[in-house]
Amino acid sequence: MAEESIGIDKRTQHGFTQLVHVTDEPHILGVTVSQEEPQLWVVFINVAEFVREEPLETEFRSTVERSLSGVNGVKSVEEADREVWVVEGSVQGEELMRATVSGLKTIHEKLKAYVESIFNP
C-alpha cells in the first residue's frame, strides 16, 4: 500500500516538537502529534471534542485505536482524555500522523455530516 502524502507543519519551540496536520477541515481532520519522551507520543484529535453520540462515537474511537495500533513499532495506545491518545513505542510522529488521518478519512463523510449537524442544526 502506498504511503499517503499529507501536509504536515513541523513546529519546534524550546526543544519541543509538534506536528500539525495541514487541512482545510481542521474540525474534522485536525490532528496534532507531539513527542513527550523518546518513546512516548501524544496524539490530539480535534473532532473528538464533538463526537458524543452512538453509534458514531464507538466507530470513531475504534477507528483511532486501530489506526494508531497498526503503526509498526507501537507497543501501546491509551485514550488519556476525550481528545487525547498516548502512544508508546519506537515510531516516528509522521507515521502516527499519517495513520490517524488515514483512519479519519475512512469515516470522513460520517464525521463531516455529524459536525455540520452540530454547527448548522
Side-chain angles (χ1 to χ4, degrees), residues 51-69:
V51 180
R52 295 175 182 251
E53 291 183 19
E54 294 297 345
L56 183 57
E57 184 170 15
T58 295
E59 182 179 9
F60 164 73
R61 295 191 182 289
S62 296
T63 298
V64 171
E65 173 83 23
R66 191 172 44 254
S67 297
L68 291 170
S69 296

Side-chain angles (χ1 to χ4, degrees), residues 35 37-41 65-78 86-93 95-96 99:
Q35 188 171 22
E37 296 176 13
Q39 291 198 13
L40 189 65
W41 296 85
E65 173 83 23
R66 191 172 44 254
S67 297
L68 291 170
S69 296
V71 175
N72 283 339
V74 169
K75 293 180 184 174
S76 69
V77 175
E78 180 181 326
V86 176
V87 179
E88 183 181 358
S90 180
V91 298
Q92 296 297 312
E95 294 170 329
L96 296 174

